[in-house]
Amino acid sequence: MTPELTKRGRTLVLVVVALALMMVVSAVSGLNVALPDLSTATGASQTQIIWIVDAYTLVFVGFLLPAGAIGDRYGRKGTLVAGLTIFGAAAACALFVSSPSTLIALRGAMGLGAAAVMPTTLSVITTSFPPAERGRAVGVWVGVAGGGAVLGLLASGALLEFFAWNSFFALNVVLAVVALIGTLLFIPNSRDAEAPRLDPLGGLFSLLAAVGIVFGIIEGPDRGWGDALTVTGFVVGALALAAFVGWELRRDEPLLDVRLFRLKGFGAGSGVITIQFFGSFGLFFILLQYLQYVADLSPFRAAICLIPLALFVMPTARNAPKVAARLGANRVLPLGLTLGASGLAVMTTLGTHFVYWHLAVGLALFGTGMGLAGTPATTAIVSSLPAAKQGVGSAMNDLSRELGSALGIAVLGSTLSATYRSHVAAATIGLPQPAADGAQSSIAFVKQASGRLAQYGPKGQNLLNSAQSSFVDAAHAAFITAIVVLLVGAVFAAIRAPRKGDGAENLSQAASPVSGEVPV
């Protein structure tokens, strides 16, 4: 039970929860602004850069559902305190390291803390606010979750105008400390007296599945797709995924009941959100490097360039439920993903000579599409479940977001890395092997060493132009990959999403053939 709070107390709870959530969301998007400076300062390869970003999201995905269950069972305030402490401590350590492998480990630790924070913040809201005020409070939570990415970009860009790349982690520490103090002072302690049993084995299987598959995707371009470690990653991931599905089907209180995906709204909404964030975070990862490596913009100016995305996402997302009610989710979701794909198609016109209106038009189309698809997809998930199972819908919404982010960065980042390496290779022939290897590993090496490379004659002097041209080609290849994924998702949504006039789905559609119920 949660003690009754005054109106002022509930307002303070909402502020603290919003700060904690902002910390979690901005930790993904904000780092993208710092990647060029980070890569140059640490000597990280393109593959290591992908891992520095994705280590956070992968651990987040693996522990998101178990952490939410721990909070419900053992106490939400204690879980929130633990998550903020782990996140803040790892970010503080990251301020003082420059080794890419150490940064990867610390980002993973931050992801563990974030997994304890995000689901707990929503649980705190639903248990602290009376029904009459709960909708507004959840609306604030959704707004922070959506706007935090853009605010993280702008805040990080502003910091990097004046400070080094590690100032991004200082922002993480400040948010964690302020949220921790607020949690200790204002968040009430609560837990669910009838919380389901924990499922550590299911959590382990889900983590191994995500890490194994993403490991193979990221390491494939660097090690080779037939390399033993790459193949092992895919095999472990596939076996763990199969084990997770089998294990969850046999449990009375599963971590995630996979039978729910038989429901049109639940399956289509989860799939569309995953694809949406696949495109969004893959786009952030690529564009912010393009704007700094090729267009030579400062971190802050690069972040400012992405503002059209937010300007089109927010009003479209606000009005999308009305459009979906009129046309049906099976029309609106495919339309949104198709508009997103058309925005990426416009961005394939970006070249070594930066023309901003090409980017602005692409972002406007992409943002409109994502706003049009996002809210109806979430609505499709939650409307397919009864009130007693809304926690499952919220958890699946969060899980879809983070899984899509991890896969988008992994797949599109690997496409970028592999294409860049193959295109720049010809320009490095004749250079000393260390210089050739460095140039092929990352465009950041070429930017940093352009003065030293000039001593190798015309080939060394022109290497920066070749690297920038190769990076643009690689970005186009990644955009085309994302376009294909979004269009396939549009076809899936057109076939699978609920139609206009469809009534509430019957949970027996997803029921166990033995029990006739969906145990959640």
Side-chain angles (χ1 to χ4, degrees), residues 107-134:
R107 285 280 292 174
M110 290 171 66
L112 178 61
V117 170
M118 189 168 189
T120 307
T121 57
L122 189 56
S123 295
V124 167
I125 286 178
T126 57
T127 55
S128 299
F129 284 78
E133 299 179 18
R134 196 172 297 153

Side-chain angles (χ1 to χ4, degrees), residues 293-320:
Y293 287 141
V294 179
D296 288 322
L297 299 182
S298 69
F300 185 63
R301 290 182 64 195
I304 289 291
C305 283
L306 300 188
I307 284 181
L309 183 68
L311 294 179
F312 281 85
V313 165
M314 290 187 287
T316 308
R318 188 168 58 249
N319 293 292

Side-chain angles (χ1 to χ4, degrees), residues 388-434:
K389 302 181 188 297
Q390 288 303 300
V392 177
S394 174
M396 194 61 223
N397 184 66
D398 293 345
L399 184 62
S400 299
R401 287 167 55 104
E402 300 309 323
L403 181 61
S405 302
L407 289 175
I409 292 166
V411 173
L412 301 185
S414 293
T415 303
L416 181 81
S417 179
T419 308
Y420 168 79
R421 184 180 292 110
S422 66
H423 283 218
V424 83
T428 63
I429 296 173
L431 292 176
Q433 198 59 44

Side-chain angles (χ1 to χ4, degrees), residues 435-504:
D437 290 343
Q440 291 180 38
S441 71
S442 171
I443 189 176
F445 173 87
V446 182
K447 292 278 284 186
Q448 181 186 31
S450 57
R452 299 195 306 273
L453 292 171
Q455 65 181 301
Y456 301 120
K459 186 173 283 289
Q461 295 165 11
N462 295 326
L463 186 57
L464 179 57
N465 291 334
S466 298
Q468 289 177 326
S469 178
S470 298
F471 190 90
V472 168
D473 292 341
H476 292 173
F479 289 149
I480 291 169
T481 302
I483 289 169
V484 172
V485 172
L486 263 65
L487 291 179
V488 170
V491 174
F492 163 75
I495 296 171
R496 187 62 180 162
R499 299 176 180 275
K500 180 183 177 182
D502 282 355

